C-alpha cells in the first residue's frame, strides 16, 4: 500500500512539472521577474529561480545568469 501511495504522488509530481513549461510570454529586459516566472527566449522556455531584471536567459551561471534555468517538459 505504501508503494502505491508513493507511486501516485510521484506521478502527480511529474505531471504537474510538465504542465509548468507553458511559455507564451517573450523575455523583456525591462521587466523584473520573480521566482517561477516563465519566459520564451531564443526558442527555449526558461523559468526564473530567483528575482532579477535585465539578465538574459541562458545556461545557468554563465554570462551573469543566476536567475534562469531551462524549463523542461
Amino acid at each position: 500500500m505504501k508503494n502505491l501511495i508513493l507511486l501516485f504522488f510521484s506521478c502527480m509530481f511529474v505531471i504537474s512539472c510538465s504542465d509548468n513549461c507553458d511559455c507564451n510570454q517573450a523575455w523583456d529586459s525591462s521587466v523584473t521577474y520573480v521566482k517561477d516566472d516563465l519566459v520564451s527566449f531564443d526558442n527555449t522556455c526558461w523559468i526564473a529561480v530567483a528575482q532579477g531584471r535585465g539578465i538574459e536567459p541562458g545556461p545557468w551561471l554563465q554570462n551573469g545568469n543566476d536567475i534562469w534555468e531551462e524549463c523542461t517538459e
Side-chain angles (χ1 to χ4, degrees), residues 34-73:
V34 295
K35 185 177 180 181
D36 295 330
D37 280 346
L38 295 168
V39 297
S40 177
F41 180 77
D42 222 10
N43 294 321
T44 304
C45 184
W46 300 91
I47 185 166
V49 295
Q51 181 173 329
R53 178 178 173 187
I55 308 253
E56 188 174 287
W60 178 249
L61 296 180
Q62 292 183 20
N63 300 321
N65 173 30
D66 60 351
I67 295 172
W68 301 104
E69 287 185 353
E70 187 172 347
C71 188
T72 56
E73 295 183 292

Side-chain angles (χ1 to χ4, degrees), residues 2-56:
K2 284 184 182 180
N3 290 340
L4 184 59
I5 292 171
L6 181 61
L7 179 64
F8 172 77
F9 283 111
S10 297
C11 289
M12 291 303 294
F13 177 74
V14 169
I15 290 169
S16 67
C17 287
S18 65
D19 291 341
N20 289 336
C21 294
D22 183 22
C23 295
N24 54 17
Q25 187 173 36
W27 175 74
D28 182 342
S29 63
S30 66
V31 173
T32 299
Y33 294 99
V34 295
K35 185 177 180 181
D36 295 330
D37 280 346
L38 295 168
V39 297
S40 177
F41 180 77
D42 222 10
N43 294 321
T44 304
C45 184
W46 300 91
I47 185 166
V49 295
Q51 181 173 329
R53 178 178 173 187
I55 308 253
E56 188 174 287

